[in-house]
Amino acid sequence: MTAPHPSPALTSPRPVRKAVVPAAGLGTRFLPATKATPKEMLPVVDKPAIQYVVEEAAKAGLDDILMVTGRHKRAIEDHFDNAFELEQALAAKGDTVRLDAVRDPARLADIHHIRQGDPLGLGHAVLCAKHHVGDQPFAVLLGDDLIDARETLLSRMLDVRDRHQGSVVALMEVDPSQVHLYGCAAVEPTGEDGVVRVTGLVEKPSPEKAPSNYAVIGRYVLDPEVFDVLERTAPGRGGEIQLTDALQDLAAAGTVHGVVFDGLRYDTGDKADYLRTVVRLACERPDLGPEFTAWLKEFVAGLEEDGAGREESRAA
C-alpha cells in the first residue's frame, strides 16, 4: 500500500520548541484533597507531579512552555515563579540545597500561563494555545501522565516528527479490558521499528469495538493544522471537544504516526497508581531509598504475618 503524500504545508521541517501542558482539570478523583489544591500540585515524593512533566519537556529541548490552567490553579503559576522572600530566607541560612530546589522550577524553561475558562475538554484546552503557538509544531504533555526520567519517549517522537512531518502520538499496548479508558488507535506498520502509521482513532471504545489494543497516552507532537481541525470539531464523548476526534481527521489524511512505548510510565491521575508512583520513586532515590526500602520490607513482612495469623485463627 502506498503511503499518502504529505500536504505541501507539511513539507518544510520546523524545529519543535514549544510545549503545551493542559492543567485545567478539576481533579475529582482526588477529592477532597483537590478541593483547594490543583491535582497537578499533589506531591510525588517532594516535587509536584507537574514539575516532572516540565522537566521532561525541558530535557527534550522544549524551552517555551504554555500551561493551560483554570480557576483555582494559581498555585501552579506560583510554583514556577520566583519566591523572593523564601529564597532570601534560605540564602541567609546558607541552605544552598533547598535554595536550588526552590529556584529550579522557574529556571526550567520560559513558562507562560493561560486560562481555559470553560472546561470543554482536552481538544478545547489545546485550542486555547493557538495564539501562543501560532504556525509552529508543538508538543502536548498531559500533567498527570509521568514518563520516567530515564526514558527518551519525547525525544523519539520529536525525531519521528522531523522525519515524517505531520503529527505524532505516543502509543502503549494495554490489556483489551482496559481500552475503554483510553483513546485507541488503528495502525499499520511502517517498516520502522517502534513506529506505526495511525489510520484511525476512537475515544474510549468498548473492547469489542476497539480497532486494536494500542492506547494513546499523554504525549503528542502536533502539526499546527490541528487547530483548524479543532475549530470545526463538534463536541463528542461527554459533550467535550475531544483531541482524539481531531486527530482522527488528520489520521484519515495519512499525516499521523505513532511511537510505541514500552517503558516506565506513571499515571498519577489514578489513586492506586499515584501511590505506587510515590513508593517506586522514593525507593529509587539515593537519599531516601535505602532507609525507605528497609522499612517497606518490614512493613510488607508484617502484613504477611498478620494475614497468616488471621488465616490460622479462622482455621482453628
Side-chain angles (χ1 to χ4, degrees), residues 5 17 19 42 49 86 127 184 188 202 222 228 255 281 298 307:
H5 292 292
R17 302 299 299 271
L42 294 178
L86 179 57
L127 187 55
C184 187
E188 61 184 27
V202 182
L222 302 178
D228 293 334
T255 61
L281 294 184
E298 292 180 4

Side-chain angles (χ1 to χ4, degrees), residues 29 174-185 202-216 237:
R29 284 185 287 181
V174 300
D175 188 274
S177 65
Q178 299 296 305
V179 294
H180 69 284
L181 300 173
Y182 300 89
C184 187
V202 182
E203 179 66 16
K204 297 181 178 178
S206 59
E208 59 272 13
K209 293 183 178 180
S212 74
N213 66 329
Y214 281 106
V216 180
R237 188 181 180 93

